[in-house]
Amino acid sequence: MPESTPSQDNIETIIRLEQEAEKDRGIAERAAETLGRFVGTLPFVALQFTIVAVWIVVNIGDGGFDPYPFPLLGGTLAFEAVVLAAFVLIRQDRMSRRADRRNHLDLQINLLAEQEATKIIQMLERLSRQLGVEDKVTDAEAKVLSSETPIDAIARDLRETLDEGDAET
């Protein structure tokens, strides 16, 4: 059996985390998401058209239970629209929470990678100095890159820049 690669390990970890998140859902939440997922498909649209067409055919003429202009059909479709909108919003909320968790995980990994890269640059600078290999051109750039990244300052600058952009529009 071949050894797993780091990327395979990462994929398995992500799958495991997603499966754990799925286990935490209740039956009602699963049903709501399944229905919300089905509503956005072509088979659902075809089913809707079929039901409405059958309803109209059955109720045309004198023998129908919902004569033209089909007030019961209109009320039923309006109620269905409200309920389906709620299911779609539930699904979107869940997808948003999942995306938020992934974004937080991405941020943590990116911050860790930034710290690791900074440490590597610092180690390479020390090694270069010990070996007497210093390049004046890249030395200034290496000093900037080897300093700790001020996450708070970057976040503040980003927020201010985004706020200024919002104010201009």
Side-chain angles (χ1 to χ4, degrees):
M1 175 183 233
E3 287 187 37
S4 64
T5 65
S7 59
Q8 287 172 328
D9 291 343
N10 290 340
I11 290 169
E12 289 173 9
T13 300
I14 290 169
I15 289 171
R16 181 182 47 80
L17 290 171
E18 291 288 332
Q19 287 172 342
E20 287 174 5
E22 292 295 314
K23 287 179 186 175
D24 292 340
R25 296 184 317 151
I27 291 174
E29 192 174 351
R30 289 177 202 220
E33 186 165 341
T34 300
L35 186 59
R37 189 178 316 120
F38 175 63
V39 167
T41 65
L42 286 176
F44 175 77
V45 173
L47 178 66
Q48 284 292 104
F49 277 128
T50 303
I51 289 172
V52 170
V54 168
W55 186 291
I56 290 172
V57 167
V58 166
N59 288 291
I60 289 180
D62 295 332
F65 59 89
D66 186 24
Y68 181 82
F70 315 114
L72 185 58
L73 174 63
T76 303
L77 290 177
F79 175 73
E80 178 190 35
V82 169
V83 171
L84 292 179
F87 283 120
V88 169
L89 289 173
I90 289 169
R91 182 162 190 262
Q92 286 180 337
D93 180 58
R94 176 161 167 68
M95 290 170 59
S96 176
R97 282 184 278 137
R98 183 184 300 164
D100 286 346
R101 281 194 309 268
R102 287 178 181 163
N103 287 339
H104 287 296
L105 179 61
D106 279 347
L107 177 61
Q108 294 303 318
I109 290 170
N110 288 338
L111 290 173
L112 181 60
E114 170 68 25
Q115 290 170 342
E116 291 170 347
T118 300
K119 192 64 171 175
I120 289 169
I121 292 170
Q122 290 169 348
M123 292 169 64
L124 286 172
E125 275 187 320
R126 281 194 305 269
L127 186 60
S128 294
R129 276 194 304 274
Q130 287 177 351
L131 295 174
V133 181
E134 289 191 52
D135 182 4
K136 301 297 181 197
V137 175
T138 59
D139 193 51
E141 184 180 6
K143 286 200 183 311
V144 171
L145 292 174
S146 67
S147 63
E148 296 292 325
T149 303
I151 303 301
D152 290 338
I154 292 173
R156 188 176 41 257
D157 291 346
L158 177 62
R159 188 174 34 255
E160 289 171 1
T161 303
L162 290 175
D163 289 344
E164 289 172 9
D166 288 344
E168 291 174 6
T169 55

